[in-house]
């Protein structure tokens, strides 16, 4: 199962802000939503992340997001609510393109940081989770790949040993 472009059923007791649904254009009553249960989605997502970690020989995944603490807070709250103990993501470290955008381009808003980076951004597609994630990934890669790398930084690791 691929969870990309899939909807989630709201968890019991969740507060759903009508104004947010209007911005995101989510219709909770749409019979074609084919929404997943939150637990099912997280289990599948974490399996995908763990498979990638194994492939990359990593011990922890790191969230990369625009306003990463917001996303990390939701993810951690879902894990706590569902009693999921094996969250593959680092518990407090995240890479945040809002912060990186401020540093690299003097702006924290995703659309403006992308524009200043010379990347396409569609206001019509904005606030769609997949679209925003793709723009965030492109912005992150643009900033990281443009960042000057100094090989002597690696030499400093030897000083600590």
């Amino acid at each position: 199962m691929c969870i990309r472009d899939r909807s989630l059923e709201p968890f019991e007791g969740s507060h759903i802000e009508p104004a947010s649904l209007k911005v995101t254009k989510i219709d909770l009553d749409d019979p074609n939503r084919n929404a997943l249960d939150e637990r099912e989605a997280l289990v599948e997502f974490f399996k995908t992340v763990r498979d990638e970690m194994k492939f990359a020989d990593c011990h922890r995944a790191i969230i990369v997001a625009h306003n990463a603490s917001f996303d990390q807070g939701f993810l951690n709250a879902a894990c706590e609510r569902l009693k999921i103990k094996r969250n593959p993501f680092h518990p407090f470290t995240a890479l945040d393109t809002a912060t990186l955008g401020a540093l690299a381009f003097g702006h924290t808003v995703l659309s403006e940081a992308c524009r200043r980076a010379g990347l396409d951004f569609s206001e019509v597609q904005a606030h769609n989770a997949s679209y925003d994630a793709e723009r965030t990934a492109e912005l992150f890669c643009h900033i990281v790949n443009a960042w000057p790398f100094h090989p002597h930084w690696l030499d400093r690791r030897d000083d600590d040993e």
Side-chain angles (χ1 to χ4, degrees):
M1 164 186 44
C2 177
I3 60 172
R4 181 186 169 114
D5 294 327
R6 294 287 304 271
S7 298
L8 291 180
E9 284 296 334
F11 63 88
E12 189 174 324
S14 60
H15 174 74
I16 299 170
E17 187 63 48
S20 295
L21 293 177
K22 189 174 181 179
V23 169
T24 59
K25 300 176 186 85
I26 294 172
D27 179 2
L28 295 176
D29 297 321
D30 180 356
N32 298 316
R33 279 183 69 234
N34 196 19
L36 291 173
D37 170 74
E38 183 180 41
R39 176 177 293 283
E40 181 183 1
L42 277 179
V43 166
E44 181 64 26
F45 176 54
F46 286 175
K47 181 188 179 315
T48 301
V49 171
R50 282 192 193 91
D51 289 347
E52 291 297 321
M53 289 168 51
K54 185 176 182 179
F55 178 77
D57 195 28
C58 294
H59 299 286
R60 279 286 195 188
I62 301 215
I63 291 175
V64 175
H66 199 75
N67 190 1
S69 63
F70 178 81
D71 294 319
Q72 194 169 38
F74 270 95
L75 187 61
N76 290 341
C79 287
E80 186 175 323
R81 181 173 53 256
L82 297 169
K83 309 274 190 272
I84 295 175
K85 302 281 186 223
R86 293 189 60 235
N87 179 343
F89 289 97
H90 195 282
F92 55 83
T93 298
L95 297 172
D96 180 31
T97 55
T99 302
L100 291 172
L103 178 66
F105 304 110
H107 216 287
T108 60
V109 174
L110 181 59
S111 60
E112 187 59 28
C114 284
R115 284 189 191 97
R116 291 181 183 196
L119 305 174
D120 291 334
F121 194 91
S122 168
E123 294 295 341
V124 173
Q125 295 180 69
H127 305 296
N128 169 285
S130 292
Y131 182 78
D132 287 357
E134 288 170 4
R135 297 295 86 204
T136 297
E138 190 169 355
L139 179 63
F140 176 78
C141 290
H142 180 83
I143 293 169
V144 170
N145 290 331
W147 202 262
F149 175 73
H150 300 285
H152 70 275
W153 290 346
L154 295 177
D155 296 337
R156 293 184 179 169
R157 289 186 307 174
D158 296 333
D159 294 342
D160 294 337
E161 296 177 342

